[in-house]
Amino acid sequence: MACAAIAVVSAPAFAFGKADDPTTSAELVAHDGDGGAVWFQDAASASTSDHTVEIVAGQSVKFSFPGPGTIHNVAIPTTGGTQPTTCNQTKLANTGGTLDRDGKLPMPELAGGLPGWEGYCTFDTPGTYTLVCAVHEAQGMFATVIVAEPTATPTATATTTPEPTATPT
């Protein structure tokens, strides 16, 4: 069964090509399992059922599929309103193909499996983003990115140290 991982984001928000990969704060990995099982997993978790990552507004999430296997993508439905600020594919599957330019992360060009791909999205607006592998949506291949408001960093306030008073002798 083939699954194309597609990030369905508005075209102006997408940048494609070999750009500098920002430091990512979390990673979601697409997986294939026995019996046709497919899932996204938080790379920092040992649990295959952990498909949620939490970041702070302005941070990036890395998406990847180590392959080989079926075809996966990352789709961010546009019906939810808010979209990532930037999405960029940073590693092309070793197919000799070119990076896709129609708003998908990635768009595989083969009918079979791929040896892998990587990319990231930067989320500047707080909220909850639901992601899906467009090819495996019917199998429930979803993930969630929770973007929190950044916390203010307290600034140091100068304090004065009282001068010792002399005691009479």
Side-chain angles (χ1 to χ4, degrees), residues 130-145:
T130 300
L131 317 169
V132 62
C133 172
V135 177
H136 291 113
E137 186 171 1
Q139 287 90 356
M141 190 171 177
F142 293 90
T144 304
V145 176

Side-chain angles (χ1 to χ4, degrees), residues 10-167:
S10 59
F14 248 136
F16 288 94
K18 191 79 170 159
D20 293 331
D21 191 4
T23 301
T24 54
S25 302
E27 180 178 0
L28 287 165
V29 181
H31 290 281
D32 293 329
D34 293 334
V38 290
W39 68 96
F40 285 113
Q41 181 176 351
D42 176 357
S45 174
S47 173
T48 59
S49 64
D50 184 356
H51 54 84
T52 300
V53 295
E54 296 181 31
I55 61 170
V56 173
Q59 293 181 328
S60 298
V61 175
K62 178 180 178 180
F63 298 97
S64 65
F65 174 55
T70 62
I71 298 171
H72 296 286
N73 67 8
V74 176
I76 303 169
T78 57
T79 57
T82 307
Q83 296 294 308
T85 308
T86 305
C87 288
N88 198 342
Q89 185 172 341
T90 57
K91 179 183 174 189
L92 183 63
N94 298 321
T95 62
T98 59
L99 289 176
D100 177 64
R101 298 191 184 278
D102 67 356
K104 298 170 184 159
L105 179 67
M107 185 58 216
E109 297 167 350
L110 302 177
L114 295 176
W117 53 266
E118 293 177 5
Y120 69 90
C121 289
T122 301
F123 297 83
D124 287 340
T125 304
T128 300
Y129 297 77
T130 300
L131 317 169
V132 62
C133 172
V135 177
H136 291 113
E137 186 171 1
Q139 287 90 356
M141 190 171 177
F142 293 90
T144 304
V145 176
I146 298 171
V147 182
E149 292 275 354
T151 56
T153 305
T155 55
T157 305
T159 57
T160 57
T161 304
E163 292 289 324
T165 55
T167 53

